[in-house]
Amino acid sequence: MLFVFLYDMNNGLLMIKGLRNSLAQLVRYGLIGLTVNLSGYLIFLLVTYLGMGPKLSMTLLYLAGASAGFWGNRNWTFRDKGSFLGPGLKYLGAHAFGYLLNLTILLVFVDGLHYSYRLMQIVAIFVVAGFLFVAFKYFVFVRPGKAQEIRQ
């Protein structure tokens, strides 16, 4: 049904191709995210078990995970071959928002509502991942010619 709807629109074949490309990017993003976040979460559990606070642990692991994710997402997910500086700065900006979103979830649900930090960090991983995929696809790794294509 979705393919029929997209095909009936102007440039229907381009829309279907764009949908396939987006799904492929989402799968690659998910694989990178699963690898980075699963290893990060296991380290999070270990360091909090050893006595480090949840917010400090999240902060340090967020920085490490974001760094690893940049290379994987730039080179494999979005196959960006352009300049390093522009996307790098946008990536930092997107992750600044992602970090604040993660921190807000912990502050509200762990500190304020007394939910388990273990559970809320898992929730935060998925919320932030969804936000970041959209930010990366439409803001960070968009080539100048692609921005025009998106608007059409």
Side-chain angles (χ1 to χ4, degrees), residues 134-148:
V134 172
F136 294 166
K137 181 166 180 59
Y138 295 107
F139 175 67
V140 175
F141 297 112
V142 175
R143 286 170 254 134
K146 284 295 251 187
Q148 181 66 22

Side-chain angles (χ1 to χ4, degrees), residues 41-61:
Y41 185 69
L42 293 174
I43 294 169
F44 173 82
L45 291 176
L46 175 64
V47 297
T48 55
Y49 174 78
L50 294 174
M52 186 181 286
K55 288 180 281 307
L56 177 59
S57 302
M58 180 274 295
T59 299
L60 296 175
L61 290 166

Side-chain angles (χ1 to χ4, degrees), residues 10-29:
N10 291 336
N11 300 320
L13 292 176
L14 291 176
M15 295 294 286
I16 291 172
K17 182 179 178 188
L19 180 62
R20 282 190 192 144
N21 186 44
S22 291
L23 288 174
Q25 288 174 335
L26 185 60
V27 168
R28 291 190 299 264
Y29 176 79

